[in-house]
Amino acid sequence: MDTRDFAALEKREWDRADVAQAYARDFARAADMVVPRLVAGAGAVAGAKMLDLCCGHGNVSAGLVAAGAEVTGLDFSPAMLELARAAVPDAVFHEGDAMAPDFADGSFHGVTIGFGMPHVPDPPRVLHEARRVLRRGGRVAFSVWCGPEVEGAFGYVFGAIARHGDPSVQLPPGPGANDYADPARAFPALEEAGFSGCTCEVVASSWVTRDPGTPFDYFREGTARGGALLRPQPEAQRAAIRADVVAQVLAHHGNGPEWIVPIPAAVISAVAT
């Protein structure tokens, strides 16, 4: 699979300050709920040297710092790194490629990857690099949103796009957004990279909102993959997609006036052997 166009899309979208800020302000309300499990899964303790790959705006880095760890973050988006440096002054952040991090072998006690796996062209390569920079016995923990087979916002939004979206608006070939939430895919990739003791835990992350169209808005304004599908839609299709999302939220979660919209996440962790 040629993923160069996918890589360019991801870089272009996450380089946008408005997308980075919308993610940090809104979408990440659910991602924040996953941070404690990532911190624990990666074995962060006081004095541990931790690497936060695909660190984004720094919410996982902040959790690692709160655990007393010495934290280095890496991301390819200058817009995200600007937010991370402002939010987590006690961590050190670098711009770079999670598939080729410029750190020495065995430099870290633990590695976290908070929702970064779907945004890299070659996720197994990221796992190999995580193993390389980890000390033997160190831990990796990564999170991925569960797919549409698990009830929640991901299925509501992408199902509505499939039903109502302009078919000419397509993503370039790349990893599936939810591939590595599946232990059947994630565990063999971890083992091939040099990890053992793989575990998977589903976190019931969610958004609390007074607008049942919130999932549409959050994906459109604060994500790369969802935004690239939603922002170019003609007005009629965009309205139909949002109306479909509203209808699904009402059907599954009642008539409000407040809704808890699930967007569950899998947290997968393993030990470097």
Side-chain angles (χ1 to χ4, degrees):
M1 181 191 301
D2 187 341
T3 58
R4 286 175 292 183
D5 289 345
F6 172 81
L9 178 146
E10 287 283 339
K11 187 71 169 66
R12 181 186 73 239
E13 295 298 309
W14 290 120
D15 275 350
R16 292 178 50 166
D18 60 332
V19 174
Q21 290 163 6
Y23 179 87
R25 181 186 64 242
D26 297 323
F27 200 102
R29 295 179 188 181
D32 290 346
M33 298 181 181
V34 184
V35 170
R37 294 311 311 149
L38 285 168
V39 171
V45 294
K49 292 185 176 182
M50 306 296 292
L51 174 62
D52 187 16
L53 287 175
C54 307
C55 65
H57 67 293
N59 61 335
V60 179
S61 296
L64 296 169
V65 167
E70 180 183 324
V71 180
T72 300
L74 183 139
D75 202 275
F76 67 1
S77 165
M80 281 293 195
L81 289 169
E82 182 177 353
L83 297 174
R85 290 179 177 122
V88 196
D90 291 330
V92 176
F93 294 100
H94 301 276
E95 184 178 344
D97 183 353
M99 297 185 299
D102 189 18
F103 304 111
D105 295 2
S107 300
F108 297 97
H109 297 100
V111 173
T112 54
I113 312 169
F115 299 103
M117 293 287 279
H119 302 297
V120 295
D122 189 350
R125 184 173 167 187
V126 175
L127 296 179
H128 277 273
E129 286 299 301
R131 174 60 190 92
R132 181 185 65 78
V133 302
L134 274 170
R135 300 177 184 182
R136 184 180 178 88
R139 298 187 61 86
V140 65
F142 63 84
S143 54
V144 183
W145 301 113
C146 296
E149 71 281 356
V150 179
E151 184 180 298
F154 222 98
Y156 301 162
V157 172
F158 284 90
I161 293 171
R163 287 185 287 273
H164 304 290
D166 183 336
S168 71
V169 180
Q170 296 287 333
L171 295 174
N178 316 106
D179 285 355
Y180 286 83
D182 183 358
R185 182 184 291 263
F187 286 9
L190 282 162
E191 289 163 0
E192 199 278 330
F195 292 95
S196 64
C198 303
T199 66
C200 177
E201 176 184 0
V202 174
V203 179
S205 37
S206 62
W207 295 310
V208 178
T209 179
R210 298 183 70 85
D211 179 353
T214 285
F216 170 92
D217 300 336
Y218 285 2
F219 272 94
R220 179 173 181 260
E221 297 165 9
T223 71
R225 193 186 299 251
L229 285 172
L230 291 169
R231 287 189 284 272
Q233 293 288 336
E235 181 57 38
Q237 280 80 2
R238 195 159 57 241
I241 294 167
R242 194 178 195 279
D244 188 315
V245 172
V246 168
Q248 290 181 80
V249 170
L250 295 177
H252 288 95
H253 306 293
N255 293 320
E258 187 172 82
W259 292 269
I260 300 175
V261 181
I263 179 166
V267 174
I268 292 178
S269 61
V271 180
T273 53

